[in-house]
Amino acid sequence: MRPGAAIAAVIVTRLRKEARLIAYVCAASAIVAYLQPHAILSVVHDPFAADTATRATWLAGLTFFGTLCGIVAAIAQRGGARLRELELCEQSAPLYGRQLARATATVPCIIVTISSFVYWFVQFVTGMAAPPAFFLLALAAVNASTLVACSATVRRGPSRYLYVALAWLTAMVSYALAIYLDRLRPPPRGVDHYSDALGVATELSFCLVVGFIAVRQYGESLARYDPVPE
């Protein structure tokens, strides 16, 4: 079997195994999206402050709840009897550790992408959806956090909790970059529209670099991982 076919088989098989989890996180995302408050305080009269508050409100729920879903989906990929037989089959597949890491890391990323889209769609139906650009920023953050959380699945004890904490830190840094980096200084007086390119580019670059490093680290750890505990 070619590596590409083996990777595709791993992804498809795991997605089928996680059908119930996908249904759960999508249902939870729909509920949270419907209940999330959207109102911006009427006392905020400054357009700059109101725009920042609106962006923060739009991104907060999707970013942090999406990160929670991503961590849950990542942790569910390893350990326990539910996937033990599948893990043993994957270890015998013609894949290097980095290739197997890409395959297994793709699964929680697909799950969190689906749940994030459900979250955004429910907000769209209720008339309070974030603009597509904001959705992409949140999607980049939750996927980067999910990739960091994947390394927690092949560790035990404090190191596992450390990677979960790093996943949350990734989400928080991404959120801060997307909202506040290009808003440290208000726009000139009389200027209503100004470029968000700095915050967008920095947040996307940060997520790309963190995600790349996380997959490499996960691949190295997975190469040493033994699905049969001692």
Side-chain angles (χ1 to χ4, degrees), residues 111-230:
I111 295 174
V112 77
T113 298
I114 294 173
S115 67
S116 297
F117 179 77
V118 170
Y119 192 106
W120 181 87
F121 181 75
V122 171
Q123 288 194 320
F124 176 79
V125 171
T126 58
M128 292 299 298
F134 289 4
F135 173 75
L136 292 178
L137 290 175
L139 193 61
V142 299
N143 275 281
S145 302
T146 300
L147 292 174
V148 174
C150 286
S151 291
T153 64
V154 291
R155 289 172 169 81
R156 298 182 178 88
S159 59
R160 167 173 285 198
Y161 301 121
L162 173 62
Y163 274 97
V164 172
L166 288 175
W168 281 111
L169 180 62
T170 299
M172 289 187 287
V173 172
S174 301
Y175 177 75
L177 290 175
I179 297 176
Y180 299 112
L181 181 62
D182 59 344
R183 296 170 179 246
L184 296 178
R185 296 179 60 187
R189 183 181 299 275
V191 177
D192 296 328
H193 302 282
Y194 51 96
S195 175
D196 294 329
L198 178 62
V200 170
T202 305
E203 195 259 8
L204 293 179
S205 299
F206 172 77
C207 293
L208 181 63
V209 171
V210 169
F212 176 78
I213 295 174
V215 172
R216 290 292 298 269
Q217 179 66 31
Y218 182 44
E220 294 176 2
S221 301
L222 202 56
R224 303 187 298 268
Y225 174 68
D226 183 5
V228 180
E230 300 179 358

